[in-house]
Amino acid sequence: MSLELTPDIWLAPARRRAAIEAVLLGAPVVLVLAALGWAVAGLAAGAGLLVVGSVALGWIAARIAARFDAGWLVRRLNAREASLEDSAALVFADTVARSPFEALQAQRIAARIKAIDPTSLADSWQRGRIALAWGLGLAALAGIAVWQMQERAPPPLAPVADSTAAAPGAPRLTGQRLRIVPPAYTGLPARYADSLDVRAPMGSRIEWTLAFAPQPPAAALQLVGGQRLPLTQGPDGWSGALRLDVPSLYRVTAEGMDTAQPAHRLEPIADEPPQVRVIEPASGLVTMSPGQRNWRITFEASDDYAVDTIARLTLTTAIGEGENVRFAERVQTVRGTGDPRRRRFVVDLPLAPFGLVPGSDLVAQLTVADTRAPEPQVVRGPGVILRYPAPRPPEAEGLDLMAKQQMPAYFRSQRQVIIDTEALIKQRKNLSADEFLLRSDTIGVDQRLLRLRYGQFVGMEAEETPKPPLPTSDKDEPAKPDHYDGDGHDHGEAPENPVFGDLGNVLADYGHVHDESEAATLLDPDTRELLKAALDAMWEAELNLRTGKPEAALPFENKALEYIKQVQQATRIYLPRIGSQQPPIDMARRLTGKREGIVGGGAQLVPFALPDAVPATAWRALAQPGAIDLAGLEKWVRSNSGRIRDPLGVLAAIDGLRGAPGSPAAREKLRGALWTVLTRPPAGVRRRSDGGATGRRYLEGLR
Amino acid sequence: MLAPETLAALLIGAGALAAAARLVLLRRGWPGWLLAALSLASGALLTLALFPPLLPIGGETLLVATAETPPGTRAGPGERLVALPEAPAIAGAERVPDLATALRRHGQVQRLRILGRGLTERDRDADAGLPVSFTPLPLPRGLVRLDPPADTSAGAVFALGGETAGLEGGTAELLDPAGRRIDMQVIARAGSFTLGGTARAEGLATFTLRLRGSDKRVVSDTPVPLRTLAPPQPLRALLVGAPSPEAKYLRRWAEDSGIDLASRLDAGGGVDLGEGEVRLDAASLREVDVVIIDDSALASLGSGGRAGLAQAAAGGLGVVVRITAPANAATRGTWRALGLAVEGGDDTVPVALPPLAPDAEALAFRRGPGTEEAPDSLNTLDDPVPEFARWNLKTGAALVPVVRDADGGLIAGWQQRGQGRVAIWALADSFALVLAGQGDRYEQWWSEALSAVARPESLFRPDVPALVLPGERIAVCGIAAAARVVAPDGGALALAIDPDAGPRGCAAYRPAAPGVHTIIQPDREGERRFAFPVLPEGALTGVRARETGEATAVWAARQSAPVARSPMEQRGPAWPWLLGWMALSGALWFAERRLRARPAD
């Protein structure tokens, strides 16, 4: 029997219509929601809401369409067509389970159903509801659009608090609007200022719109002690713009204004450089644990606006011992995560590629930049050190305690001298003769210090003895500095130590060589020979360096290095049992019993000079009527603005007094402002009064 | 000569007796005696009608309305209401220019009652001679007492105190002349507070005391003047002792604060590491203002040297003895020789350092901008406070503490000896304050100790009340003839010295307007000037209200002493006696007529 009727044919129009209806009814809601999202939270939110709303609407429409099933069709057919004799269910029922009578009836009905147009079964369009939904939706959209347009439009000019009385007929400032557009990199939105005083990020664009009544022929912004910014007349009022770079004061002027206008502040907020903090590890020096394969470092960089996502990680390895330390530096980029103002940089370093051996260091340093335009501020953060611990020296006992394993840090420096000399030779043509000689001489000084250090091991009388703690004779003269800063010979943390390499100065800490150089027992004779040869080479090198002949010095330097490396083989140095080191004895005085001239001149104290003599004088002068040197004071404030918290406030007060020289209020204001710049002098001594003749007699009577 | 009353009484008595005798003679028996008695009584009544008896006056009370008297005040029976110039408008009150005028106009009053805030100084000058009752009004909300800071030296710390009423839980803040808060204290139940700040260069500065209620609203802003003095000549100081870090930092401070310091630092073996030629003989010590000596140097001076030092101290020299080691009996003996009655000093106790400022910002404001050598970021409030120890001294009442720690432990104190003063410095290793970043405290403490003892000098420093309001009469003391005051508007007024005020040289002055007034004293070397501020009117309303109330209460208590005036009496009304006499006389007349008409039985 082929009276298989699929209900879908009859259901499809109804389903389609219901779904379309649902979409038509829901679409305005989704659109309004999306528009609201756009208006409130931006374009992305609006688009997101639109997509989510559309999907939700589609799903709802599908669910509604799915409600139209065979049961609904049967009910609808039976209700609509009396000719179906309430037997439509038979047609769509399971064909197998039908009795023959049912089958006959089904066949009859099926033929009638086929004659029915499926479209007529669907519900009719709900035109009213759709129209209502769209009407309301469009109204809401229009409302949002109007609201947004009002929001975006510049606000009307704000009235100005009238502080100065203008002469009749003279223009008066009646309205102001101040728009501050911070630089794009800050990510801050443009805003309108409440008053004419501006405090905004450095580099912001400040746009003034001002209204005057009556209309002046010309108007301008006058920066106090600076340029003049003419305003142009537009439909809104007089407008002008300025890039905020330096703090200054300005006043609004218009042609015809005769009274002095109050000064307003333009105060830029400087962009702070980013700051880097090490979160993990907790301390700056980490000892590598045995079998460690990875090293995890977490940096946190914070900035007032945003930290660049990409940072540079500098990894420095120092591999080796003694003179044989190899440095290698590699740089890799790291991506930060999290809040732009507070980014985290997590590095998980595999340690295998570095080839660390016991005694070597791995130093990691993060260099971050902020997003400042045009040039970002780059900051190099603190370094963290991963140290592969060196093997412990064998425990010494008894007499062995006297023998110490000597691995002085200063053995490295001969190589450094060579490197410096080679660098200097290379740079020769870029340097002037004087400069070249100076730098060569500086290297020579280093060579000399090194020679003196090694000389101690052979008992050589050091030329530069350590300074005694107290002056032993008044003939002493202060040593002149040999170095200058930044010459490439700064020795890290203790640059100008006259006793070079003090840190590892075990000999001076625990011992003292009393022997003559020929009879020094500190080293065995062979080692001493080697050392002496090294010293001779060093002396030659120093001679050449100090006379400005680094090329000639280089062979000697290399020879000295060679000897030193041989000396390194002799690792045992014996320390004598001797007490602390006494100041050298002045032989000329010895055993004479005379103590004249034994006291040196002592340090000459530089008296404390108050840096605020100018404001202090002005502060006192302001208490009494009389003229004040305002120009000198202003110059002082400008030159000392780094020290003062609020130089603009002082400048404004100065300007206020200049505008109204006779006003006691302006004088009082300046006097108050000057108080902020006065440095507190060291507490002085007040003398008590003797109470006059009466007081003296009273005290006499007390006895 | 008899008084008229007596004469009249005698005459009337004689007449009455005559009439009575006649009546008795006229008719014997009881009617005659009765009439005679009535005649005598009539005579007595006539005398009394002519001269009524003296009666004490029944006590009128004078109500004196002063400032803040309620406007609805009325005089009750037996009272009279007068209003002093400060009083508000009161209906029915008689306006008087002062209390003396009111008493003169109303000589009959027996009591005084003061209404309102109290009498001003003008009316408290003289005694009223009457019992006075006065109930002070409750104190107004706000500041009721202000102890302004004393004159300071440049850079020193100053303190001010005060008391408030009705501001429990509020705060007292001290604002510097630029309006920045430099100190703050929460007001406790008692209402009193102490605030501090730092002075700068010499001159007059006006700080502001701001009181806030518990709701943080500003209750009042009161100007607080501060005078910073400039030393006319540098202090000449002498440092005697062993070379020590203390000597180093004292030298540094002396150099910075303009003290002319010479030192004798004995390194042993006759080696002196000090600067300048230092001799401790009488002639040299006369040229020195203060000597700072440590205890071992004092002991090594010998008894003769100590006696010389003590004598110099009696002549005005200031001596500061620095304890460097536990004291024993011998050490205390050397102190006693200088006039220091101090016991103990053989053990140390920890010092409680008060915080430098209530918060970091206030500390920055107190210190002012830093210099290149010492930027203001160098030492912060959060820096760890070092541990200090002081030698535990037991002192008597004669020793005046000048520096104390937060718990009141003595760090430095002085004792008078003749014209001079001898101080003891009990803080061990005070130089460590500098090393711990509290150099300002070190300087402050040494400044206070030296200021207390240094040789006095006669300065031109007139004695003017610290808080002066326009329109109030003040006494300017310590001036000589030809002194004058220049008001802010430039007007000068010669000060007339009151010969009754004694040798202090006092003159009265009544400033008219607020502002800085200058006293100018011409002398041989030119003119000496001394400026003093006059606060704006109404700046101290609460303070003055409390002062007025308290002074009036004291004055009123003094008036209740035995009455100075004799009690007033006056004759009573005559008409009751006259009426009685007329009635009696009428009755007599009628009876006599009846008697005559009826012949005797």
Side-chain angles (χ1 to χ4, degrees):
Chain A
M1 296 247 293
S2 62
L3 37 99
E4 285 301 311
L5 283 180
T6 46
D8 291 351
I9 298 167
W10 281 271
L11 283 174
R15 282 181 173 164
R16 202 181 309 126
R17 192 166 291 181
I20 290 170
E21 228 170 47
V23 167
L24 283 176
L25 279 171
V29 178
V30 173
L31 284 176
V32 168
L33 277 179
L36 267 180
W38 185 8
V40 175
L43 187 61
L49 271 175
L50 189 65
V51 170
V52 170
S54 307
V55 169
L57 191 60
W59 182 75
I60 290 169
R63 287 290 302 272
I64 288 175
R67 276 192 219 154
F68 295 88
D69 54 4
W72 172 84
L73 182 64
V74 169
R75 285 194 300 281
R76 172 57 57 99
L77 284 172
N78 287 340
R80 286 272 169 95
E81 304 291 333
S83 60
L84 297 186
E85 299 170 359
D86 286 344
S87 304
L90 281 180
V91 180
F92 300 106
D94 192 2
T95 50
V96 182
R98 281 180 197 154
S99 60
F101 180 72
E102 282 172 345
L104 180 67
Q105 176 70 355
Q107 213 169 359
R108 272 178 5 119
I109 301 302
R112 290 184 203 163
I113 285 174
K114 274 182 187 159
I116 297 171
D117 179 14
T119 328
S120 67
L121 288 177
D123 288 325
S124 60
W125 291 104
Q126 297 181 333
R127 287 201 179 76
R129 287 174 70 176
I130 291 167
L132 185 69
W134 276 97
L136 285 176
L138 286 176
L141 284 176
I144 290 168
V146 169
W147 171 48
Q148 279 304 297
M149 277 165 74
Q150 278 179 347
E151 192 88 329
R152 300 273 160 89
L157 300 190
V160 176
D162 201 359
S163 54
T164 52
R172 210 160 46 79
L173 186 63
T174 54
Q176 52 99 353
R177 186 174 68 220
L178 229 154
R179 186 158 183 260
I180 300 169
V181 189
Y185 77 87
T186 62
L188 298 175
R191 65 185 173 93
Y192 292 94
D194 304 328
S195 72
L196 287 169
D197 293 325
V198 178
R199 196 174 137 77
M202 189 173 273
S204 299
R205 185 183 157 81
I206 315 292
E207 298 169 5
W208 286 267
T209 310
L210 303 169
F212 299 91
Q215 206 64 255
L221 297 177
Q222 177 68 50
L223 296 186
V224 172
Q227 57 167 330
R228 183 183 174 82
L229 180 75
L231 299 176
T232 50
Q233 195 172 12
D236 259 2
W238 294 85
S239 58
L242 183 76
R243 200 181 127 92
L244 183 60
D245 283 321
V246 286
S248 56
L249 298 168
Y250 75 97
R251 54 168 61 93
V252 178
T253 57
E255 208 174 303
M257 269 186 183
D258 44 2
T259 50
Q261 298 299 308
H264 305 284
R265 305 163 69 112
L266 285 176
E267 200 174 343
I269 306 169
D271 188 354
E272 301 282 334
Q275 291 185 333
V276 186
R277 212 154 59 84
V278 183
I279 306 277
E280 189 192 345
S283 73
L285 176 65
V286 190
T287 312
M288 199 167 144
S289 53
Q292 187 177 354
R293 290 173 180 282
N294 281 304
W295 187 30
R296 188 185 170 85
I297 324 164
T298 310
F299 294 95
E300 188 184 76
S302 55
D303 186 57
D304 39 6
Y305 299 118
V307 182
D308 202 2
T309 47
I310 293 174
R312 278 191 311 131
L313 182 70
T314 314
L315 296 163
T316 313
T317 48
I319 296 174
E321 283 181 69
E323 192 80 1
N324 290 322
V325 176
R326 280 178 292 109
F327 290 96
E329 195 175 285
R330 63 175 81 170
V331 176
Q332 65 184 66
T333 52
V334 192
R335 293 193 79 85
T337 53
D339 177 17
R341 287 165 185 250
R342 192 173 282 272
R343 279 199 203 281
R344 285 208 165 206
F345 295 89
V346 182
V347 193
D348 221 350
L349 278 180
L351 292 177
F354 295 103
L356 298 178
V357 294
S360 47
D361 288 352
L362 171 62
V363 185
Q365 238 181 342
L366 189 74
T367 308
V368 297
D370 66 1
T371 54
R372 190 175 76 165
E375 54 198 41
Q377 303 184 90
V378 180
V379 167
R380 197 171 174 132
V384 270
I385 306 171
L386 178 71
R387 177 159 296 167
Y388 198 139
R392 284 174 64 85
E395 292 290 325
E397 277 178 16
L399 199 63
D400 272 354
L401 197 66
M402 305 298 296
K404 291 201 104 187
Q405 207 135 49
Q406 185 71 12
M407 240 176 324
Y410 39 79
F411 271 65
R412 288 176 185 167
S413 282
Q414 185 59 36
R415 187 179 291 272
Q416 187 63 43
V417 168
I418 294 169
I419 293 169
D420 286 344
T421 313
E422 283 170 347
L424 182 64
I425 293 168
K426 256 184 226 165
Q427 291 175 354
R428 173 161 219 164
K429 47 185 180 298
N430 298 337
L431 296 170
S432 68
D434 287 348
E435 178 88 348
F436 182 77
L437 183 63
L438 185 61
R439 286 192 47 184
S440 174
D441 184 55
T442 316
I443 301 172
V445 170
D446 273 3
Q447 181 69 77
R448 172 164 156 263
L449 291 173
L450 198 61
R451 179 171 60 80
L452 292 176
R453 285 291 299 145
Y454 282 103
Q456 290 191 358
F457 289 107
V458 291
M460 201 168 78
E461 279 293 330
E463 287 165 42
E464 185 143 328
T465 48
K467 275 267 151 54
L470 284 170
T472 50
S473 111
D474 45 1
K475 287 174 290 192
D476 277 349
E477 278 180 22
K480 293 199 179 70
D482 295 321
H483 274 266
Y484 62 95
D485 278 348
D487 59 359
H489 282 258
D490 295 340
H491 302 283
E493 287 157 8
E496 302 292 349
N497 199 335
V499 186
F500 174 79
D502 231 3
L503 195 64
N505 194 352
V506 185
L507 187 67
D509 283 352
Y510 299 105
H512 176 68
V513 177
H514 261 234
D515 302 354
E516 280 186 44
S517 59
E518 296 303 318
T521 53
L522 202 59
L523 302 168
D524 59 295
D526 291 350
T527 316
R528 212 173 67 228
E529 279 307 312
L530 274 174
L531 251 182
K532 280 183 75 74
L535 289 176
D536 287 346
M538 284 184 184
W539 197 88
E540 288 290 337
E542 181 195 336
L543 179 75
N544 284 311
L545 280 170
R546 300 204 74 159
T547 48
K549 293 180 284 190
E551 294 90 344
L554 204 52
F556 291 108
E557 290 175 0
N558 283 317
K559 207 184 277 176
L561 179 63
E562 218 169 280
Y563 289 134
I564 289 169
K565 289 181 107 176
Q566 290 177 33
V567 172
Q568 266 190 305
Q569 314 306 322
T571 52
R572 288 165 79 86
I573 293 180
Y574 290 89
L575 300 174
R577 276 186 208 264
I578 289 290
S580 64
Q581 188 165 5
Q582 301 299 324
I585 294 163
D586 185 356
M587 298 307 280
R589 257 181 214 284
R590 197 171 182 191
L591 297 174
T592 59
K594 288 181 185 163
R595 291 191 282 262
E596 288 83 42
I598 201 168
V599 178
Q604 282 307 307
L605 295 186
V606 182
F608 173 79
L610 271 187
D612 60 355
V614 175
T617 311
W619 185 76
R620 270 192 292 279
L622 280 166
Q624 279 113 30
I628 309 291
D629 176 19
L630 289 178
L633 191 59
E634 183 170 341
K635 202 173 135 208
W636 184 90
V637 172
R638 286 191 193 280
S639 61
N640 283 272
S641 54
R643 287 199 307 125
I644 308 170
R645 280 201 172 195
D646 181 20
L648 268 190
V650 186
L651 287 177
I654 292 173
D655 190 62
L657 183 60
R658 192 178 285 139
S663 151
R667 290 179 81 94
E668 206 47 49
K669 189 155 183 284
L670 177 57
R671 202 159 183 258
L674 281 182
W675 183 268
T676 64
V677 307
L678 292 179
T679 306
R680 180 183 170 195
V685 171
R686 182 180 71 246
R687 283 177 175 241
R688 64 199 169 99
S689 169
D690 60 356
T694 325
R696 278 195 296 275
R697 272 208 303 282
Y698 175 76
L699 290 175
E700 295 284 333
L702 273 185
R703 261 193 290 182
Chain B
M1 187 65 196
L2 287 169
E5 293 105 275
T6 325
L7 192 61
L10 285 175
L11 286 175
I12 291 169
L17 270 176
R22 208 188 108 245
L23 281 170
V24 170
L25 291 177
L26 193 68
R27 179 65 54 101
R28 295 287 163 86
W30 64 268
W33 288 109
L34 180 71
L35 288 178
L38 283 175
S39 304
L40 284 176
S42 159
L45 281 174
L46 179 63
T47 317
L48 284 173
L50 286 176
F51 306 104
L54 285 170
L55 292 174
I57 294 174
E60 235 185 14
T61 302
L62 188 65
L63 302 185
V64 183
T66 62
E68 295 180 49
T69 307
T73 307
R74 294 277 178 278
E79 289 176 338
R80 219 169 261 278
L81 181 62
V82 294
L84 291 175
E86 317 61 80
I90 298 172
E94 177 193 351
R95 280 277 166 191
V96 286
D98 52 24
L99 183 64
T101 309
L103 289 175
R104 209 164 39 245
R105 279 189 196 165
H106 304 283
Q108 78 283 9
V109 295
Q110 284 296 89
R111 280 183 290 278
L112 276 180
R113 202 162 96 227
I114 315 284
L115 305 173
R117 217 18 106 182
L119 298 174
T120 60
E121 206 175 348
R122 171 198 67 210
D123 295 321
R124 298 194 305 261
D125 256 0
D127 286 346
L130 297 174
V132 177
S133 66
F134 170 64
T135 312
L137 289 182
L139 290 175
R141 182 169 182 260
L143 187 69
V144 294
R145 181 170 63 79
L146 177 61
D147 304 328
D151 296 351
T152 62
S153 49
V157 169
F158 64 86
L160 62 99
E163 199 177 327
T164 57
L167 285 181
E168 189 191 340
T171 53
E173 297 173 2
L174 186 64
L175 312 182
D176 72 2
R180 306 172 304 175
R181 184 170 57 79
I182 54 170
D183 201 357
M184 190 188 82
Q185 196 177 12
V186 176
I187 299 171
R189 176 178 287 272
S192 57
F193 60 86
T194 313
L195 298 171
T198 55
R200 297 277 195 278
E202 67 263 20
L204 278 177
T206 307
F207 287 72
T208 306
L209 172 66
R210 173 167 289 176
L211 296 179
R212 290 180 189 271
S214 48
D215 53 356
K216 303 282 165 243
R217 288 237 297 268
V218 177
V219 174
S220 67
D221 278 345
T222 311
V224 180
L226 174 76
R227 178 181 294 111
T228 307
L229 302 168
Q233 57 210 22
L235 196 76
R236 296 156 303 176
L238 208 58
L239 181 63
V240 182
S244 66
E246 197 78 75
K248 169 184 173 177
Y249 286 100
L250 273 176
R251 195 172 155 227
R252 176 78 254 176
W253 168 61
E255 184 72 44
D256 289 350
S257 59
I259 298 173
D260 186 2
L261 182 84
S263 53
R264 194 171 94 183
L265 304 175
D266 202 352
V271 176
D272 177 16
L273 296 176
E275 293 181 290
E277 285 292 304
V278 173
R279 281 200 305 275
L280 290 177
D281 52 30
S284 312
L285 287 177
R286 264 198 293 279
E287 299 301 313
V288 175
D289 294 324
V290 63
V291 172
I292 305 168
I293 188 165
D294 69 25
D295 46 7
S296 58
L298 188 64
S300 65
L301 274 186
S303 58
R306 279 194 294 278
L309 195 60
Q311 200 164 5
L317 174 75
V319 178
V320 181
V321 179
R322 218 159 50 73
I323 312 178
T324 57
N328 49 30
T331 322
R332 285 190 287 269
T334 61
W335 296 346
R336 263 193 299 280
L338 281 179
L340 273 173
V342 176
E343 292 302 318
D346 42 11
D347 60 336
T348 56
V349 284
V351 172
L353 287 179
L356 284 170
D359 52 46
E361 192 170 53
L363 180 65
F365 292 155
R366 277 194 189 196
R367 283 184 168 154
T371 56
E372 271 179 27
E373 290 83 19
D376 48 6
S377 57
L378 196 62
N379 297 311
T380 65
L381 192 68
D382 307 325
D383 286 350
V385 180
E387 305 262 321
F388 282 92
R390 62 182 173 84
W391 300 99
N392 195 8
L393 296 176
K394 287 184 258 311
T395 60
L399 191 100
V400 183
V402 58
V403 183
R404 289 164 174 277
D405 71 356
D407 294 342
L410 180 82
I411 285 171
W414 58 265
Q415 200 160 352
Q416 188 85 29
R417 182 181 176 88
Q419 304 284 348
R421 290 173 178 180
V422 183
I424 191 147
W425 180 265
L427 183 62
D429 295 340
S430 60
F431 67 90
L433 280 169
V434 182
L435 302 182
Q438 302 206 350
D440 34 4
R441 199 198 296 272
Y442 175 82
E443 289 159 358
Q444 173 66 24
W445 281 359
W446 272 105
S447 150
E448 284 175 13
L450 290 199
S451 301
V453 299
R455 184 187 294 279
E457 59 175 3
S458 49
L459 300 168
F460 177 66
R461 206 177 285 168
D463 189 5
V464 180
L467 302 173
V468 184
L469 291 177
E472 283 186 359
R473 194 190 67 167
I474 57 166
V476 180
C477 289
I479 52 168
R484 61 183 195 277
V485 175
V486 179
D489 59 1
L493 186 76
L495 289 173
I497 293 188
D498 180 6
D500 292 344
R504 292 181 62 210
C506 292
Y509 181 66
R510 192 190 292 273
V516 176
H517 291 59
T518 312
I519 300 173
I520 298 175
Q521 173 81 64
D523 66 1
R524 269 167 298 176
E525 292 134 34
E527 284 183 336
R528 288 162 176 268
R529 289 168 169 270
F530 184 83
F532 68 95
V534 176
L535 304 183
E537 206 149 358
L540 299 170
T541 319
V543 176
R544 288 289 187 258
R546 178 200 164 111
E547 284 173 5
T548 306
E550 285 185 349
T552 307
V554 170
W555 181 82
R558 207 169 60 218
Q559 308 310 310
S560 304
V563 178
R565 278 187 179 193
S566 58
M568 293 268 296
E569 285 185 332
Q570 85 179 29
R571 298 195 181 278
W575 60 269
W577 308 112
L578 192 69
L579 214 63
W581 171 74
M582 279 187 56
L584 202 61
S585 304
L588 261 178
W589 172 75
F590 187 71
E592 224 175 304
R593 264 184 59 122
R594 288 282 302 273
L595 206 67
R596 284 175 191 281
R598 197 176 336 143
D601 297 333

